[in-house]
């Protein structure tokens, strides 16, 4: 069989960058600084107690922009003369230590010495402290260490372009420094306390607040977004609006586009240029991220963060779909990373989970056409054996969620080639002597970076995750009808691999310590941290974090063995702040947190009903893998305040885990978990729900409301199709409360702990599955 990549069409850009309407430069008002517009628009209060800041024309109407000039986290409201209204929420988060300290809830590191008491300990000290009283407090997780800082703050662009532009901590690009637009504010007092946020709560943008050192009514605001009309493939056109507010009055303001003014050829844009571009930008992004399962949460920033991740993906991928690991800087945006399997599997997981089927299809098609050869090989330096198995599983999920069998038929040959690789590797393992520790275990690279080493053979070994994900892929894909002829062999192999993995793992667990230690490999007596300390660059236990995270994500072992693995990871240096660590020899300055492949660990915690630990993961991933306010995720972050650069799989960690907290499917059984991972605090604050969330049983939605005064909690479930055989609704009640009774459509049902168990078909009162009411009393 030939090994060739399918043809890819050229990207067509049908029109030039739009011409910005340029005002007559002689008509500009030049009082004071000749580069400044009039800085004192009318300050009358007319809409929702807000102040009119600007007027502009759009589509033949006069519009007015309104803001609350007494606070910097209020909305921006645009109202037309005919009464049309557009509103942009503007949540912000502290982005300097000085700003964070204004509302810090606990002492850094709980007052412990970061080096000797935390980073150099094998056990996950901070996680243990945060979990001491059960469910962790979100603000404590946020504040226990300082936020991390990426090499730059964010990057912006549009869907059609093939590049992005980064923004630094001062809101500057390589072409424009917007703080220069408010020169009278630059007195040296606006740098220590800063906040960042996004327009509309989730739109790909940058809004920065630089507050005065003392006066809370004195701040500079910088708003930046990428032009969406431009058809330039490589140049990102950027809009800027900068103003200085003090004492409830706009003291200075100005607009910018791309570059500094260069008269008479290049004039500064006005409100009549900026705001219409902003309105088009809003429409553009709402259209591009409209297919999104809508969550309802008391704190809307969690939903915004999730939606933002999908917008970021569209910006980061060339044309919105081209596979890319990072952005902007060559190191992770280069073509040498494009075929990385984790890009494909993480994105497909997230887009399917949140109902973005069009994007899932586009990513599927793009990856199979551009990066998979006819023989199944990956156009990337180091194919990862476990990711082939995960890919098979996701192919099955794609069909189960979307019903789109046509696309899978198109790539059936390449998919079968992936399966053949795994069966060949399994057959090879069965040719070893039965007494060999590696017998029946699939060998190969687990981590792509192994291929960068001249002695890469050191890492072609039977890591547990190789076989675990192979088994998961075989089990799941065997359920898809077009692969029926292979189902018997695949299911048999899956069982054989699982049984052998379980037996061998159990044989080599080191039970001479508490808790027992689970090794990365069979017949490995050295423990991970000690082996890396002795031989960091040549140890076969490099990238142990991937082995453990993917072994757990595959969910093929017994609950007993799974819990042994989790306990071992937490005790022996494999987790940091409740998330999988980027495992290295212990260091005094940091205990690194792994952003990009750790979500499988969280899903395992959820399946094992270790909910407090699951919630700690959720909080840590949000606050310490992402930067604050702009929500750009690092591949690896530090407990010491620094981070590596952005990578796309990290950006989807929080969305994947949040969706699982709301609705989670048992990987093998006909069981749907509802609200299993939802924090107690959320249920006490307001409604929790999600609509049109895809599952193997069609779209599912629910809404939950707790009434603490009456001691009731009610969930209304909606099913598009008949539900699975069992639905488990978790009611995480306030601390000290216990579930005393439960009903489904008014009829009493069983519960266990805080979980109401609906055995579908056994309740005579449930005659339709379109809407089912589950109520608990406490």
């Amino acid at each position: 069989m030939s090994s060739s990549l399918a043809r890819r069409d050229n990207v067509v850009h049908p029109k030039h960058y739009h011409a910005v309407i340029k005002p007559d430069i002689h008509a500009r008002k030049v009082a004071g600084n000749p580069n400044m517009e009039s800085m004192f628009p009318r300050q009358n209060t007319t809409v929702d107690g807000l102040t009119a800041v600007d007027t502009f024309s759009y589509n033949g109407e006069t519009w007015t922009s309104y803001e609350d000039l007494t606070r910097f986290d209020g909305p921006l409201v645009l109202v037309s003369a005919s009464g049309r209204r557009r509103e942009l929420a503007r949540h912000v988060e502290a982005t300097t230590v000085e700003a964070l300290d204004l509302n810090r809830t606990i002492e850094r590191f709980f007052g412990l010495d970061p080096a000797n008491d935390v980073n150099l300990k094998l056990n996950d000290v901070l996680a243990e402290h945060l979990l001491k009283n059960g469910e962790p407090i979100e603000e404590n997780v946020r504040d226990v260490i300082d936020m991390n800082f990426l090499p730059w703050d964010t990057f912006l662009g549009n869907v059609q372009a093939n590049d992005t532009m980064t923004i630094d901590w001062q809101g500057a690009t390589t072409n424009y420094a917007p703080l220069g637009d408010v020169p009278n504010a630059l007195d040296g007092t606006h740098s220590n306390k800063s906040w960042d946020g996004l327009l509309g709560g989730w739109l790909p943008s940058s809004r920065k607040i630089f507050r005065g050192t003392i006066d809370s009514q004195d701040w500079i605001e910088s708003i930046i977004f990428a032009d969406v009309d431009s058809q330039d493939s490589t140049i990102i056109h950027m809009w800027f609006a900068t103003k200085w507010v003090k004492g409830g009055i706009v003291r200075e303001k100005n607009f910018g586009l791309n570059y500094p003014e260069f008269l008479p050829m290049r004039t500064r844009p006005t409100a009549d240029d900026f705001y219409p571009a902003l309105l088009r930008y809003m429409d553009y992004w709402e259209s591009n991220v409209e297919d999104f399962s809508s969550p309802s949460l008391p704190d809307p920033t969690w939903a915004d963060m999730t939606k933002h991740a999908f917008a970021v993906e569209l910006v980061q991928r060339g044309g919105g779909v081209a596979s890319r690991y990072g952005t902007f800087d060559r190191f992770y945006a280069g073509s040498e990373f494009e075929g990385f399997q984790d890009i494909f599997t993480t994105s497909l997981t997230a887009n399917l989970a949140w109902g973005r089927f069009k994007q899932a299809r586009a990513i599927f098609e793009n990856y199979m056409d551009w990066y998979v050869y006819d023989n199944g090989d990956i156009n990337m330096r180091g194919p990862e054996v476990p990711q082939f198995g995960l890919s098979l599983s996701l192919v099955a999920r794609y069909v189960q969620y979307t019903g789109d069998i046509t696309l899978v038929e198109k790539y059936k040959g390449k998919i079968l080639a992936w399966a053949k690789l795994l069966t060949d590797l399994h057959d090879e393992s069965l040719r070893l002597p039965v007494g060999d520790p590696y017998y029946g275990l699939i060998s190969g690279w687990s981590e792509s970076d192994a291929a960068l080493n001249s002695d890469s053979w050191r890492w072609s070994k039977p890591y547990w995750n190789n076989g675990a994900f192979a088994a998961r892929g075989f089990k799941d894909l065997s359920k898809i009808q077009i692969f029926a002829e292979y189902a018997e062999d695949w299911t048999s192999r899956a069982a054989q691999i699982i049984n052998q993995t379980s037996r061998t793992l159990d044989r080599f667990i080191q039970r001479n310590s508490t808790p027992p230690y689970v090794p990365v490999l069979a017949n490995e007596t050295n423990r991970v941290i000690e082996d890396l300390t002795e031989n960091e660059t040549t140890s076969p236990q490099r990238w142990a974090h991937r082995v453990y995270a993917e072994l757990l994500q595959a969910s093929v072992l017994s609950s007993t063995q799974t819990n042994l693995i989790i306990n071992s990871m937490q005790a022996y240096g494999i987790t940091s702040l409740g998330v999988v660590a980027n495992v290295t020899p212990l260091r005094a300055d940091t205990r690194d947190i792994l952003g990009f492949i750790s979500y499988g660990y969280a899903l395992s915690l959820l399946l094992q009903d270790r909910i407090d630990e699951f919630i700690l993961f959720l909080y840590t991933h949000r606050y310490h893998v992402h930067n604050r306010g702009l929500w750009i995720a690092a591949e690896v972050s530090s407990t010491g305040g620094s981070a590596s650069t952005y990578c796309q799989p990290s950006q989807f960690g929080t969305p994947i885990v949040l969706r699982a907290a709301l609705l989670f499917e048992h990987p093998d059984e006909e069981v749907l978990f509802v609200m299993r991972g939802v924090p107690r605090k959320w249920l006490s604050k307001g409604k929790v729900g999600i609509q049109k969330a895809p599952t193997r049983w069609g779209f599912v939605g629910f809404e939950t409301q707790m009434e603490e005064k009456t001691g009731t909690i009610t969930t209304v479930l909606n099913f598009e199709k008949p539900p699975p055989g069992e639905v488990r609704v978790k009611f995480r009640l306030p601390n000290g409360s216990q579930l005393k009774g439960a009903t489904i459509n008014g009829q009493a049902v069983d519960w266990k702990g805080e979980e109401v168990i609906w055995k579908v078909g056994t309740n005579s009162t449930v005659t339709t599955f379109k809407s089912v009411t589950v109520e608990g009393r406490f």
Side-chain angles (χ1 to χ4, degrees):
M1 180 182 293
S2 65
S3 295
S4 61
L5 292 172
R7 180 180 65 87
R8 65 188 190 190
D9 295 330
N10 292 326
V11 178
V12 178
H13 300 285
K15 61 181 180 180
H16 295 295
Y17 172 60
H18 73 289
V20 176
I21 300 173
K22 298 180 175 60
D24 182 348
I25 64 171
H26 300 293
R28 286 191 302 112
K29 194 163 185 176
V30 292
N33 187 324
N35 290 324
M36 306 301 287
E37 288 185 26
S38 172
M39 293 307 156
F40 299 97
R42 55 198 175 113
Q43 301 281 321
N44 55 313
T45 300
T46 54
V47 171
D48 297 345
L50 306 179
T51 300
V53 174
D54 277 310
T55 60
F56 61 96
S57 296
Y58 182 57
N59 287 346
E61 276 195 283
T62 298
W63 289 65
T64 304
S65 69
Y66 296 91
E67 299 182 44
D68 184 346
L69 297 179
T70 67
R71 54 186 295 177
F72 51 71
D73 59 350
L76 171 63
V77 180
L78 308 177
V79 182
S80 74
S82 64
R84 292 187 62 202
R85 177 181 174 123
R86 302 295 298 276
E87 183 170 329
L88 285 169
R90 299 192 299 183
H91 166 80
V92 292
E93 295 180 352
T95 48
T96 57
V97 173
E98 292 86 348
L100 180 63
D101 282 346
L102 294 174
N103 295 292
R104 187 181 287 276
T105 59
I106 57 171
E107 194 175 356
R108 293 177 186 85
F109 291 90
F110 289 99
L112 301 171
D113 177 69
N116 296 314
D117 296 338
V118 178
N119 295 333
L120 292 175
K121 296 291 186 183
L122 278 174
N123 57 312
D124 194 346
V125 174
L126 294 183
E128 291 173 2
H129 276 68
L130 289 163
L131 292 164
K132 187 175 181 180
N133 297 313
E135 180 176 301
I137 297 170
E138 183 173 350
E139 294 79 6
N140 289 357
V141 179
R142 179 195 67 194
D143 297 344
V144 70
I145 59 173
D146 290 330
M147 73 283 288
N148 67 68
F149 298 94
L150 279 74
W152 29 256
D153 278 12
T154 192
F155 59 92
L156 303 178
N158 55 39
V159 179
Q160 59 268 22
N162 194 40
D163 207 343
T164 61
M165 175 64 79
T166 55
I167 309 295
D168 73 9
W169 72 274
Q170 292 182 310
T173 69
T174 53
N175 296 320
Y176 197 90
L179 292 183
D181 287 345
V182 288
N184 293 318
L186 302 183
D187 58 1
T189 66
H190 293 87
S191 60
N192 291 336
K193 293 186 175 75
S194 66
W195 288 258
D196 283 50
L198 304 170
L199 294 174
W202 65 272
L203 297 167
S205 56
S206 169
R207 179 172 181 262
K208 291 178 172 291
I209 297 294
F210 303 93
R211 208 200 80 180
T213 303
I214 298 173
D215 187 356
S216 63
Q217 293 295 298
D218 176 6
W219 69 80
I220 300 170
E221 177 194 57
S222 168
I223 290 176
I224 312 169
F225 63 90
D227 187 86
V228 297
D229 300 317
S230 170
Q231 296 301 312
D232 282 355
S233 63
T234 56
I235 297 177
I236 305 301
H237 297 265
M238 307 286 282
W239 289 94
F240 302 84
T242 312
K243 64 173 173 281
W244 173 33
V245 177
K246 186 173 183 178
I249 296 174
V250 177
R251 306 288 178 169
E252 286 183 310
K253 71 177 176 66
N254 225 320
F255 301 102
L257 175 63
N258 295 329
Y259 313 110
E261 188 174 53
F262 180 69
L263 297 176
M265 301 176 72
R266 182 192 300 155
T267 61
R268 184 182 293 283
T270 68
D272 283 324
D273 303 313
F274 177 83
Y275 286 101
L278 176 62
L279 285 165
R280 293 192 299 270
Y281 158 89
M282 293 164 64
D283 291 338
Y284 174 95
W285 281 108
E286 286 165 3
S287 171
N288 274 286
V289 196
E290 63 181 352
D291 54 338
F292 173 72
S293 301
S294 179
S296 301
L297 301 170
D299 178 354
T301 64
W302 284 95
D304 286 341
M305 189 178 201
T306 297
K307 199 169 187 178
H308 175 66
F310 294 106
V312 167
E313 178 184 43
L314 294 175
V315 169
Q316 175 251 353
R317 288 178 175 265
V321 297
S323 183
R324 192 167 291 161
Y325 189 57
T327 189
F328 192 83
D329 53 331
R330 169 70 189 182
F331 184 57
Y332 273 176
S335 59
E336 62 270 23
F337 290 91
E338 289 181 359
F340 196 33
Q341 290 155 287
D342 297 77
I343 304 172
F344 170 67
T345 55
T346 308
S347 179
L348 200 57
T349 298
N351 279 282
L352 287 174
W354 286 94
R356 289 184 50 75
F357 292 168
K358 290 180 183 177
Q359 179 71 356
R361 180 187 172 97
I363 288 163
F364 194 149
E365 197 163 27
N366 171 271
Y367 193 76
M368 299 302 284
D369 279 347
W370 291 28
Y371 303 105
V372 182
Y373 292 93
D374 290 344
N375 68 352
D377 192 13
I378 303 299
N379 191 12
M380 170 68 178
R381 60 174 181 249
E384 297 165 336
V385 171
Q387 290 289 312
F388 287 108
L390 177 57
S391 296
L392 297 182
S393 175
L394 288 170
V395 169
R397 191 179 309 175
Y398 177 83
V399 174
Q400 291 167 333
Y401 280 18
T402 69
D404 180 11
I405 200 68
T406 305
L407 190 66
V408 177
E409 285 275 16
K410 177 180 177 182
Y411 301 112
K412 185 177 180 180
K414 292 181 178 182
I415 295 167
L416 286 173
W418 286 347
K420 185 177 186 301
L421 167 71
L422 297 175
T423 58
D424 286 350
L425 291 174
H426 183 225
D427 287 342
E428 185 177 323
S429 75
L430 295 175
R431 287 192 284 271
L432 294 171
V434 174
D436 192 299
Y438 291 173
Y439 173 80
L441 305 179
I442 292 176
S443 287
W445 289 330
S446 166
E447 164 61 48
S448 178
D449 284 354
L452 294 173
N453 296 272
S454 59
D455 54 352
S456 61
W457 52 268
R458 293 180 185 275
W459 297 280
S460 184
K461 292 188 178 294
Y463 298 103
W464 306 121
N465 52 330
N466 290 351
F469 259 146
R472 171 53 57 201
F474 287 149
K475 283 167 67 103
D476 293 346
L477 199 61
S478 66
K479 299 171 185 175
I480 305 304
Q481 184 58 38
I482 64 168
F483 299 104
E485 63 184 290
Y486 306 95
E488 184 177 355
D489 178 57
W490 289 348
T491 54
S492 175
R493 284 183 185 274
Q496 191 175 7
I497 293 169
I498 292 168
N499 290 336
Q500 188 61 54
T501 300
S502 177
R503 286 195 300 269
T504 306
L505 185 145
D506 194 66
R507 175 183 166 192
F508 288 103
I509 290 175
Q510 297 176 22
R511 292 181 168 83
N512 59 344
S513 57
T514 303
Y517 173 80
V518 180
V520 166
L521 284 162
N523 206 32
E524 187 64 60
T525 56
N526 273 1
R527 299 188 176 187
V528 170
I529 298 300
E530 65 185 52
D531 203 58
L532 291 176
T533 302
E534 294 172 6
N535 313 288
E536 183 174 7
T537 60
T538 59
S539 169
Q541 302 190 60
R542 282 181 73 182
W543 308 293
H545 39 262
R546 183 183 284 275
V547 176
Y548 290 119
E550 292 183 343
L551 170 61
L552 291 173
Q553 184 179 347
S555 301
V556 295
L557 298 177
S558 68
S559 180
T560 298
Q561 286 189 326
T562 299
N563 281 311
L564 278 172
I565 295 165
I566 293 170
N567 295 340
S568 176
M569 291 173 68
Q570 294 173 351
Y572 301 116
I574 315 298
T575 67
S576 178
L577 247 178
V579 175
V580 179
N582 186 52
V583 180
T584 64
L586 297 179
R587 294 169 49 187
D589 61 330
T590 182
R591 188 187 183 98
D592 285 350
I593 301 167
L594 188 67
F596 84 109
I597 55 172
S598 53
Y599 67 91
Y601 171 76
L603 300 182
S604 182
L605 291 171
L606 189 63
L607 190 60
Q608 298 306 312
D609 207 14
R610 299 174 67 144
I611 307 305
D612 293 340
E613 295 156 284
F614 171 86
I615 291 170
L616 175 58
F617 182 104
L618 180 66
Y619 290 162
T620 295
H621 203 280
R622 169 177 173 162
Y623 291 109
H624 300 297
V625 170
H626 300 76
N627 63 0
R628 302 287 171 89
L630 298 174
W631 297 335
I632 297 299
E635 181 186 47
V636 176
S637 58
S638 162
T639 57
S642 63
S644 66
T645 192
Y646 157 88
C647 83
Q648 183 258 13
S650 281
Q651 195 75 42
F652 281 133
T654 295
I656 290 170
V657 174
L658 178 62
R659 164 53 213 275
L662 297 167
L663 284 173
F664 183 57
E665 302 164 52
H666 194 288
D668 295 308
E669 300 172 12
E670 289 285 300
V671 177
L672 177 65
F673 298 101
V674 181
M675 296 192 302
R676 186 169 242 208
V678 171
R680 299 182 193 281
K681 193 73 173 287
W682 292 7
L683 288 166
S684 296
K685 285 184 174 181
K687 292 181 180 178
V688 172
I690 189 170
Q691 299 304 318
K692 288 188 68 66
T695 71
R696 303 199 301 268
W697 309 283
F699 288 109
V700 177
F702 76 87
E703 184 175 270
T704 298
Q705 179 76 58
M706 179 187 289
E707 298 290 346
E708 291 194 53
K709 289 183 179 180
T710 60
T712 60
I713 182 168
T714 303
T715 295
V716 178
L717 286 159
N718 298 288
F719 295 93
E720 177 195 39
K721 298 177 180 178
E726 186 170 301
V727 178
R728 290 176 168 256
V729 181
K730 190 93 164 183
F731 288 145
R732 286 180 60 78
L733 305 173
N735 283 328
S737 300
Q738 289 186 331
L739 198 60
K740 297 178 180 178
T743 61
I744 295 179
N745 285 3
Q747 182 170 328
V749 292
D750 294 333
W751 77 91
K752 183 178 181 181
E754 295 181 316
E755 210 157 48
V756 178
I757 304 167
W758 175 27
K759 301 282 189 180
V760 178
T762 64
N763 192 309
S764 60
T765 66
V766 182
T767 56
T768 177
F769 300 122
K770 295 296 182 185
S771 181
V772 177
T773 299
V774 182
E775 185 173 277
R777 291 181 293 103
F778 61 93

